Amino acid sequence: VPRELEYLTQNRLLPYLKQRFNLQGTIKACVLHAAGVGESQVDEWIADLEVLSNPTVGLLAHPGQVDIRITAKAGSSDEADHMIASLATEIEKRLGDNFYGKNEETLELIITHQLSRRDWSLKLFEFGLSGEVVRRLKQNNSLQKEFNSFRDLPDLPSLRVKLSENKQTNNEVVFGISFIPHSNKQTLHLCLLTPDGNFESTRTYGGPPENGSSWAVNSALDFLRRNIMPNH
């Protein structure tokens, strides 16, 4: 069981290893998450921090998401936490709205919290992504209802009409996603109706085709996250 294993690791295994091998100090890490921005842009924003020796800062890019890992070595756990927190605050400031969470926080978890705080419900039309957005949102019980009512992959005007027909109450968020793959580029249509207003976007992806769907899922979730934020 993960929780029991964590307790045993912290209270039995690590103290034993330190005593057995005469280990000094501790190493801790924290991972910050950014979306809606590329690895090269993040690298430009925090390049001066990536040359630090302790704590260290490194990047790991995923389709539609970038992770920033901070690792600190210190004499105690509290000291390492302090070193990480100070640097994390600076990185979050530089990332701005592109930062959405840290460690185990996911886009769908942030979306669930935002919907709950605003007492909004979510309806979703998803096409071309094999239900992956639906699956991720259902994990956190943030999805009220999903629809599949097009024979072909809809374009942006078609999404707009269908969403308007299905928005029934003032506290509903209705989100439409259409992912259209091509041989040389892949297209993502996004349409969102919220109590704060309506938002649309069409984006293209020219990277490796096998990464297109992952990029589209993360891009769609980040688009939703940004546009349901208070005072976005």
Side-chain angles (χ1 to χ4, degrees), residues 122-126 134 138 143-148:
L122 175 64
K123 292 181 178 179
L124 176 68
F125 290 77
E126 179 195 335
V134 169
K138 276 188 170 181
L143 186 59
Q144 178 189 31
K145 189 174 183 180
E146 78 263 15
F147 297 86
N148 248 316

Side-chain angles (χ1 to χ4, degrees), residues 31-43:
V31 180
L32 309 182
H33 305 300
V37 63
E39 180 186 16
S40 59
Q41 180 62 76
V42 174
D43 185 51

Side-chain angles (χ1 to χ4, degrees), residues 146-210:
E146 78 263 15
F147 297 86
N148 248 316
S149 55
F150 289 89
R151 291 184 178 179
D152 301 310
L153 291 171
D155 57 15
L156 194 54
S158 300
L159 279 178
R160 187 186 307 126
V161 171
K162 183 60 67 174
L163 268 57
S164 299
E165 292 174 348
N166 283 274
K167 193 174 191 308
Q168 298 176 338
T169 65
N170 291 332
N171 71 331
E172 278 185 343
V173 174
V174 189
F175 189 25
I177 305 164
S178 178
F179 178 62
I180 305 174
H182 301 285
S183 58
N184 59 337
K185 69 175 183 180
Q186 307 187 61
T187 303
L188 178 66
H189 297 301
L190 302 169
C191 186
L192 179 67
L193 310 185
T194 81
D196 284 347
N198 303 337
F199 309 91
E200 296 180 353
S201 179
T202 294
R203 307 173 181 186
T204 58
Y205 176 75
E210 64 271 17

Side-chain angles (χ1 to χ4, degrees), residues 26-29 55 72-85:
T26 186
I27 298 176
K28 300 193 73 172
K73 183 177 181 180
S76 68
S77 179
D78 288 344
E79 183 182 354
D81 286 340
H82 178 75
M83 294 168 65
I84 290 173

